């Protein structure tokens, strides 16, 4: 599954788009910023753990967005935001 930005005025920021045949499509009318396409070094994607491992290039690579002050775990996003759904906490989370 890729990102489809074919709707009018679509904005995609701080997303990870990796290992997908579709990639980014319909981007002619979209705003794209800080989307990460390299291997993000997820903890354990086959088990559904999409948190970042230490050394990921997505750590501190995002744009600070006031609409998203916490990640999906409720962890506060402080300083430079990480790209993706989870802010790197410095510890691994087993799933």
């Amino acid at each position: 599954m890729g990102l489809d930005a074919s709707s009018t005025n679509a904005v995609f920021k701080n997303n990870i788009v990796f290992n997908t045949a579709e990639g980014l499509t319909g981007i002619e009318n979209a705003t794209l910023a800080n989307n990460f396409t390299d291997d993000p070094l997820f903890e354990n994607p086959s088990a559904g753990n999409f948190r970042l491992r230490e050394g990921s290039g997505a750590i501190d690579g995002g744009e600070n967005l006031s609409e998203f002050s916490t990640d999906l775990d409720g962890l506060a996003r402080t300083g430079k935001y990480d790209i993706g759904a989870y802010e790197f906490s410095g510890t691994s989370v087993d799933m």
Side-chain angles (χ1 to χ4, degrees):
M1 181 174 150
L3 289 177
D4 182 356
S6 58
S7 65
T8 305
N9 300 323
V11 177
F12 291 100
K13 294 181 180 180
N14 294 358
N15 292 287
I16 295 173
V17 183
F18 175 72
N19 201 21
T20 174
E22 292 87 9
L24 297 169
T25 60
I27 60 175
E28 301 81 24
N29 298 314
T31 300
L32 304 172
N34 296 323
N35 294 300
F36 197 77
T37 57
D38 294 334
D39 183 348
L41 301 179
F42 289 133
E43 285 281 342
N44 190 354
S46 62
N49 184 348
F50 295 101
R51 290 163 187 82
L52 302 172
R53 287 192 324 235
E54 187 171 351
S56 170
I59 296 171
D60 293 338
E63 179 179 330
N64 291 10
L65 303 171
S66 60
E67 303 90 349
F68 301 99
S69 60
T70 60
D71 70 4
L72 289 182
D73 286 331
L75 184 66
R77 292 188 183 263
T78 59
K80 188 85 167 136
Y81 285 19
D82 296 342
I83 297 174
Y86 298 98
E87 193 69 11
F88 178 70
S89 65
T91 58
S92 294
V93 177
D94 292 328
M95 292 193 77

